[in-house]
Amino acid sequence: QVRLVESGGGSVQAGGSLTLSCEASGFTFSSPCMYWYRQLPGNEREKIATIYGNLNTDYARSVEGRFTISKDTVQDTLYLYMNSLRPEDTAMYFCAANKFYYGRAICSLDVPYWGQGTQVTVSS
């Protein structure tokens, strides 16, 4: 079964940097789409970064230019490099995955695979 395990969260001052990791295992299909989401208590999860099976990327406007998503395809590890952190970036961060369809260069609509989350706290 698919297993996603995040690490790297912590506390940092505004303007600082953190790198999140997500170790993936158990995929029965190659080159999945992978995502970083974040969630504040009582709020819906917000998708902030996507890396497609062809390694194209997308970002939410709230993090574009500050965060970078990348994937080590050999180690099956997803990363989120977070720079210029702001107090409003404080949240629980989750990695997630689903299937990528090469022919149409799209990801499946449902996102069935999730990690347990890692907390990021940014103080002013």
Side-chain angles (χ1 to χ4, degrees):
Q1 73 214 38
V2 174
R3 189 161 181 251
L4 302 174
V5 181
E6 303 97 334
S7 61
S11 297
V12 64
Q13 288 198 321
S17 300
L18 276 176
T19 298
L20 305 184
S21 301
C22 173
E23 293 185 22
S25 61
F27 286 119
T28 58
F29 47 90
S30 61
S31 303
C33 294
M34 298 193 75
Y35 311 88
W36 286 101
Y37 284 74
R38 66 186 181 188
Q39 185 176 27
L40 285 168
N43 288 10
E44 288 190 6
R45 288 183 186 181
E46 173 194 13
K47 183 170 62 179
I48 57 170
T50 302
I51 186 163
Y52 297 88
N54 58 9
L55 301 184
N56 287 343
T57 57
D58 276 330
Y59 297 92
R61 193 173 297 180
S62 57
V63 305
E64 193 161 20
R66 298 187 299 123
F67 291 9
T68 301
I69 187 171
S70 71
K71 185 167 63 172
D72 182 332
T73 55
V74 174
Q75 299 294 329
D76 276 343
T77 302
L78 181 72
Y79 297 98
L80 185 68
Y81 301 97
M82 305 187 294
N83 297 313
S84 302
L85 282 161
R86 305 166 180 168
E88 54 265 38
D89 294 319
T90 295
M92 183 72 78
Y93 284 71
F94 299 87
C95 71
N98 59 7
K99 200 169 182 180
F100 178 68
Y101 296 94
Y102 267 96
R104 290 177 285 169
I106 59 172
C107 307
S108 58
L109 290 176
D110 62 322
V111 185
Y113 307 116
W114 292 88
Q116 81 290 347
T118 186
Q119 177 68 36
V120 172
T121 302
V122 185
S123 58
S124 56

